[in-house]
Amino acid sequence: QVQLVESGGGLVQAGGSLRLSCAASGSTFSINAMGWYRQAPGKQRELVATITRGGSTNYADSVKGRFTISRDNVKNTVDLQMSSLKPEDTAVYYCNTRSYSGILAWGQGTQVTVSS
């Protein structure tokens, strides 16, 4: 049983920055990867960035060079620093955790809106 609590999100102008945070609690021993996904209106949920316990990262092509994912393995938190934001980044962002075998939990989501 893993619980995720997200914070951050909001309204920013294009070119601005925003930092999202996610804290995991409960049975966190099995967590390997943590990451962020997003879902825009009328679109499927898509991967934004992931990071393993060892620090290996993976980013969607659309956010490479603009977003940075990081984690604290002691506190079981994962952050997403978003810079040079574009209107197309507008979406609900979800935190996610995985074990070595599958998905453990999803966060409730936080809205990110980027205005032109």
Side-chain angles (χ1 to χ4, degrees), residues 2 4 9 65 71-72 92:
V2 175
L4 301 177
R71 68 185 289 176
D72 187 323
V92 177

Side-chain angles (χ1 to χ4, degrees), residues 77-115:
T77 58
V78 59
D79 289 357
L80 184 69
Q81 177 64 50
M82 304 183 292
S83 300
S84 301
L85 284 163
K86 305 174 181 179
E88 50 262 45
D89 294 318
T90 296
V92 177
Y93 284 70
Y94 298 89
C95 182
N96 165 267
T97 61
R98 288 178 176 267
S99 68
Y100 289 99
S101 59
I103 295 174
L104 290 172
W106 288 97
Q108 293 300 117
T110 183
Q111 178 70 48
V112 172
T113 302
V114 184
S115 62

Side-chain angles (χ1 to χ4, degrees), residues 37-59:
Y37 294 70
R38 67 187 181 187
Q39 188 166 23
K43 302 291 182 65
Q44 294 185 356
R45 189 173 300 183
E46 65 177 358
L47 182 149
V48 177
T50 61
I51 183 168
T52 67
R53 183 174 294 273
S56 297
T57 59
N58 184 48
Y59 295 91

Side-chain angles (χ1 to χ4, degrees), residues 9-53:
L11 175 64
V12 297
Q13 293 184 340
S17 299
L18 199 63
R19 190 179 187 90
L20 305 181
S21 296
C22 175
S25 61
S27 302
T28 59
F29 293 102
S30 60
I31 295 176
N32 175 232
M34 302 183 75
W36 290 92
Y37 294 70
R38 67 187 181 187
Q39 188 166 23
K43 302 291 182 65
Q44 294 185 356
R45 189 173 300 183
E46 65 177 358
L47 182 149
V48 177
T50 61
I51 183 168
T52 67
R53 183 174 294 273

